[in-house]
Every structure is written in C-alpha cells, then in structure tokens.
Amino acid sequence: MSDNRAVVYAGAGKVDVVDVDFPSFTLQDGPGVNPASVGRKCPHGVILKVVSTNICGSDQHMVRGRTTAPEGLVLGHEITGEVIEVGPDVEFVKVGDLCSVPFNIACGRCRNCKEGKTGICLNVNPDRPGAAYGYVDMGGWVGGQAQYIMVPYADWNLLKFPDRDQAMEKILDLTMLSDIFPTGFHGCITAGVGVGSTVYIAGAGPVGLAAAASAQLLGAAVVIVGDLNAARLAQARSFGCETVDVSQGDPKDQIEQLLGVPEVDCGVDAVGFEARGHGHGAATEAPATVLNSLMDITTAGGAIGIPGLYVTGDPGAVDEAAKVGALSLSLGTGWAKSLSLATGQCPVMSYHRSLMMAILHDKVQIAKAVNARPISLEQAPQGYAEFDSGEATKFVLDPHNLISAA
C-alpha cells in the first residue's frame, strides 16, 4: 500500500484515485513534468499533510479533455494543509503550522514577485511565466488532490493561520483562500468594484459566486449574476444577488429591467473559454460570447475583470482559431467605449491575508455562498461527475477525514 493517494486525470471525462509516490524535495519525472525541471532541488520546500483540497472549474476543463493535459497528471491546485516536514532552507514555517497554499507558485526572488505579480513568476516554469500545482503547461508541479504534497518556497508562499482550532472551525471558508475567493475578489478589483457600484458577473459557478460575494464585501450597490443553470442562479439569489437567465436572451434587456438602464459600472467574466451563446444559442458553444457581451453592457470608461480561464491549446474547440485561443472579439466596441480589460491568474498573495481576516472575523461567509460540501478523496470521481453535470456545489476533498472530525 502506497503512503500517498491522489486524484489523476485518466482521459477525457475520467479521473481515478491511485497510489502515488510520497513527495520529496526533489522534482521527479512524471506526467506533465517539464523535462527541464526533473531533478530540481527544493530545499526551500515543505511537505504538507493535506487537510482540504478543492475541485475547481479549471480542473474540469482538463477532465473534459479540453486541454493538452497528459493522462496520469495528478490534479489539484486548491490546497490547505499541515506542515509535517520542512526542508533545510526553510527558516520561518514550522512543523505543525496549518496553512493555506496559493495556487500560483512563486519564488519570491524574481522581478515579478518583487512587484507583487506572483501569478507570473519568472523562475518556476521553464516554458512561460507562472506556475500552478497539478495543471497543464504550468510547470509540472505535482497536484494537491492528494494526501500529501510538497510546497516549494514555503517561507514565501504559505499563509499560516493564527489559531489552529479557530481555523478548523472555519475550514470550509478558509479552504477557499487558495484560489476561488481571491480569484473572484481579483476579478472585482480589476473591474473597479467599489461602494455603490452596479456589477454584472457572468457565470454562477464557484468562481462567479465567489466574485459575487466579493462584490458585496467591496460595497457594491447591486450584484447581478448571469448563467444558464437554474440551480446555480438560485444559489446566487440565496445570498442577495439579482440574477439573469441568459438562456432567455441578451443580458442587456434583463439588466435594464433590474436597473432601469441596460448597462452596469463593472463587469466580471467568470466563465472562460467554454462559454455558450445567449438566448436560442444557449446550447451552442461560442467562446467569445461572454467577453463581447460584457463589452456591450459595461458603461463607457468602465472595466472588465476576466478571472475566467482562457487557454492557448484547446483540442475540443469549435473552430481552428479557438483551438489556439484566438477568439472573434469586438475589440472595436471596447476601444470606442474606452474599456479596460484585465486578464490572467489572480496573484493570490495580494489578497489572501486580508480575506483570511474577513473570514476569521465573520465579515463574509464564502463557504455558504459557494455551497461548499466536503467529500472523501475516494469520492473524487463522483464529485467531478456531479460538478460537471452543473450541480450548484463546491466540492471540498477531505483526504484524512479531518473536516468530518472537526
């Protein structure tokens, strides 16, 4: 019996839970690992016993076969865990610390890290700026949907929770700090959300719901969430959002019914490259729909945050251009309206401590907003299937049954 179990991509539409190697402080060869990284030493790393690790919509893109992810890739980039071993170069993080792990891996030493751009670290991926655990083309770092994982540059990356008992009481909220809460918050910040803003968020999946909760935290006057899925729209309404059913037609008309004008101050794309059309085209994939719609409904001089994922390699895309990430955007609309667009990975470290404090001091209930539900690691295939079917749930894997015990 292996000392470690993990969730792996097993081909389009399938994940398996298998025995994998216990992590070490040297990067080993394996599915998705960049050859240039094999043998890389990580004395600055720690080994975590994973307390919680979440299924993300970004993982679903891979599992659907919509990326170039290789079979056998260990999945998972939303990780919270307890330090059980520290590397010889780790100075401040200690065994026993309970910590949140930013999904983007950063060295803390390069120009981008020093400027706070930790989503595009220059030293952690031989192919391009930026890296993440368990994700295609993101440096080949082993994923965290597992019982144990190695986290590099631990003194820089890890966010320690100040009180273990308090953290375990709020673990379903705190587990969202690794990705979707900062990502949704980042989408709102880059869209210019503030006190009194009217906000339209495209997509009522977990990131969209996290963005909606973030907009409320930032003081938005009205938060409108658009989607095709009735259950997810109901989840958005459960914590005070207005909703738009885009299967009924252009969001602009429904927004006008809500606000009296067919536009909002701020737009957030929480859908990404598998977007579908609106109205009668809602059953058809049309990857530029959300971006073009947001440029249409965001007020002149406004901004659009784009935390939704777009990729440069999509073998299942609807046309040859979309297969390499080229979309038919109405850039002229954006230019004419002087809109600002912000894309890319959220720099989690810019936000996670502040959002942790908001959670610990009961200023936000992010687990309730995204309808978090813990399941065992062995139930991961069922969780992926239910999430893919459109269930309005954020599945949190509990590899050691610590959440259940808490």
Side-chain angles (χ1 to χ4, degrees), residues 94-389:
K94 306 299 181 186
V95 170
D97 287 349
L98 188 60
C99 304
S100 178
V101 184
F103 80 88
N104 26 43
I105 301 166
C107 72
R109 297 154 166 80
C110 70
R111 170 183 174 176
N112 283 350
C113 283
K114 289 177 183 293
E115 293 177 354
K117 302 172 185 174
T118 54
I120 43 174
C121 174
L122 300 173
N123 288 330
V124 287
N125 185 348
D127 286 336
R128 63 177 72 169
Y133 304 91
Y135 212 86
V136 60
D137 297 331
M138 294 301 289
W141 299 87
V142 176
Q145 287 175 12
Q147 292 175 308
Y148 301 94
I149 186 174
M150 190 275 289
V151 172
Y153 304 104
D155 281 329
W156 170 250
N157 282 301
L158 291 178
L159 174 68
K160 177 186 173 182
F161 300 139
D163 182 276
R164 183 188 181 89
D165 291 339
Q166 182 190 29
M168 288 306 298
E169 288 176 5
K170 294 180 176 289
I171 192 64
L172 285 180
D173 294 286
L174 294 170
T175 191
M176 306 305 164
L177 291 173
S178 57
D179 182 358
I180 67 164
F181 194 11
T183 292
F185 194 84
H186 179 64
C188 290
I189 290 291
T190 54
V193 177
V195 175
S197 299
T198 58
V199 186
Y200 177 72
I201 296 165
V207 169
L209 295 171
S214 298
Q216 293 176 337
L217 189 63
L218 287 164
V222 183
V223 181
I224 305 169
V225 180
D227 205 292
L228 307 164
N229 184 308
R232 290 181 171 181
L233 290 174
Q235 181 63 28
R237 289 191 295 273
S238 75
F239 60 98
C241 300
E242 302 288 350
T243 57
V244 162
D245 182 350
V246 298
S247 70
Q248 301 303 307
D250 193 324
K252 178 185 287 189
D253 300 328
Q254 297 176 67
I255 288 170
E256 185 170 20
Q257 292 174 15
L258 291 167
L259 300 179
V261 292
E263 63 182 21
V264 293
D265 300 324
C266 314
V268 178
D269 174 5
V271 178
F273 72 100
E274 289 190 76
R276 298 187 178 276
H278 295 157
H280 295 301
T284 304
E285 189 168 310
T289 298
V290 169
L291 290 170
N292 285 330
S293 172
L294 285 168
M295 284 192 280
D296 187 35
I297 64 180
T298 302
T299 192
I304 300 169
I306 310 174
L309 175 68
Y310 289 87
V311 296
T312 56
D314 175 10
V318 294
D319 56 46
E320 292 304 310
K323 287 182 179 179
V324 293
L327 308 181
S328 247
L329 294 181
S330 181
L331 191 57
T333 300
W335 191 93
K337 295 175 73 173
S338 295
L339 298 176
S340 300
L341 280 70
T343 66
Q345 289 187 51
C346 163
V348 170
M349 292 177 67
S350 295
Y351 307 108
H352 65 174
R353 186 186 181 279
S354 297
L355 295 178
M356 175 188 74
M357 295 300 288
I359 289 170
L360 294 178
H361 293 279
D362 300 316
K363 298 302 181 184
V364 64
Q365 293 181 304
I366 189 65
K368 184 177 180 181
V370 302
N371 194 27
R373 190 211 306 175
I375 60 175
S376 71
L377 190 71
E378 300 298 327
Q379 291 175 299
Q382 177 184 344
Y384 269 96
E386 291 182 16
F387 187 34
D388 196 44
S389 73

Side-chain angles (χ1 to χ4, degrees), residues 7-11 18 20 30-32 69-75:
V7 181
V8 301
Y9 172 60
V18 301
V20 297
E71 293 187 19
L73 179 74
V74 178
L75 300 169

